[in-house]
Amino acid sequence: MDFSNIDWADIGQATIDTLTMTGVSLVFTILLGLPLGVLLFLTGRGQLLEQRGVYAVLSLVVNVLRSLPFIILLIVMIPVTLALVGTSLGVEGTIPPLVVGTTPFFARLVENVLREVDRGVIEACQAMGAKTRQIVLNALLPEALPGLLAAATVTTIALVSYAAMSGVVGGGGLGDLALRYGYQRFQTDVMIVTVSILVVLVQLLQVCGDRLVRHFTRR
C-alpha cells in the first residue's frame, strides 16, 4: 500500500476537528445529561422525590430520543441546528445533534449508576437530617463517581462514533474525510489511515477512562 499520496495536513485537521466535536459535545452532554439523570433517579419509584408522572414523561422523552438512529437525527435536526449555530455543516453544525443524540444516553447511564449506590448511604444521610440537595451533592454523586466516570467514558466513545458518522451530511472530521476520499474517490489508503486513527483514539479513551475509574474506586 502506497501512502505517499495522502495529504497529511488534511488528516491532521480532520483529527483536530473530530477531537473538537467530541470534546465540546462531551462538555454539553455532561452538563445536560447529569442533572437529567439525577432527576430521573430522584423521581423514580421509591426514591426521594418520587413523582411517577414526571418520571414517566422524562423517561418517555429519553427513550424516544435514544430510539432515533443518529443518522436520522442529524437530518431531522438540520432546521434546529441552523437556528442555533447558523450552519448545519462542519464542526459547528455537528455539535448540536451530537449533544441531543448523547444526552439522553448519558442520562440513562447516570440513572442506572445512581441506582447501584447502597441504599444505606441515603438512609444514613436522611437520619442526620440532610436535605435532598445535600444528599445528592455530598453523598450520591461522590459515592457513584467511579460509575459516573465509566458512563462518561462509554458516552465519549459513542461521541467519537457519532462524530465520524456525521461525515455523511458534511459534518467534517475523520468521517467526512473517509467518505469523500476513501469511499467516493476510492482512495483506500485514506480510508485505512482514518479508520486506524479512530481505532487508536477509541483505545486511548478507553484506557484513560479505565484508569480514572480505578483511581477513584474505593478498595
Side-chain angles (χ1 to χ4, degrees):
M1 183 65 66
D2 182 12
F3 295 97
S4 59
N5 294 322
I6 293 178
D7 188 334
W8 293 102
D10 280 350
I11 296 288
Q13 184 60 52
T15 303
I16 292 172
D17 288 346
T18 296
L19 292 174
T20 302
M21 287 187 285
T22 303
V24 175
S25 301
L26 179 63
V27 170
F28 282 104
T29 296
I30 291 176
L31 289 176
L32 297 172
L34 182 59
L36 179 57
V38 171
L39 189 58
L40 277 167
F41 170 75
L42 292 176
T43 56
R45 178 176 295 181
Q47 302 302 335
L48 296 171
L49 303 176
E50 180 178 349
Q51 291 287 335
R52 294 186 182 182
V54 174
Y55 180 83
V57 171
L58 290 176
S59 188
L60 178 63
V61 171
V62 166
N63 288 340
V64 168
L65 289 175
R66 287 178 62 205
S67 65
L68 284 176
F70 185 67
I71 190 67
I72 302 297
L73 184 65
L74 275 171
I75 298 169
V76 170
M77 278 203 60
I78 286 178
V80 179
T81 304
L82 282 171
L84 288 175
V85 297
T87 178
S88 63
L89 303 175
V91 173
E92 295 86 354
T94 304
I95 290 174
L98 280 176
V99 174
V100 172
T102 52
T103 293
F105 175 71
F106 182 63
R108 189 64 83 186
L109 290 178
V110 169
E111 180 196 9
N112 291 334
V113 168
L114 294 179
R115 283 180 176 174
E116 296 299 319
V117 175
D118 187 350
R119 183 73 187 176
V121 174
I122 298 176
E123 293 173 350
C125 293
Q126 288 177 310
M128 289 186 289
K131 297 180 179 178
T132 301
R133 182 177 62 83
Q134 294 172 315
I135 294 174
V136 171
L137 295 179
N138 300 328
L140 266 179
L141 293 182
E143 192 71 22
L145 184 57
L148 294 175
L149 289 172
T153 302
V154 173
T155 304
T156 307
I157 292 173
L159 275 169
V160 172
S161 173
Y162 287 173
M165 202 184 303
S166 68
V168 176
V169 293
L174 291 167
D176 181 55
L177 206 63
L179 184 70
R180 285 191 292 116
Y181 290 88
Y183 178 67
Q184 294 176 347
R185 302 182 187 180
F186 303 105
Q187 287 187 244
T188 307
D189 49 356
V190 175
M191 180 71 81
I192 291 175
V193 170
T194 52
V195 171
S196 299
I197 293 174
L198 287 170
V199 170
V200 170
L201 185 57
V202 168
Q203 293 300 315
L204 289 175
L205 288 169
Q206 188 65 60
V207 169
C208 291
D210 289 344
R211 288 188 175 184
L212 282 173
V213 171
R214 283 198 297 271
H215 179 75
F216 287 99
T217 298
R218 296 176 182 175
R219 297 186 183 278

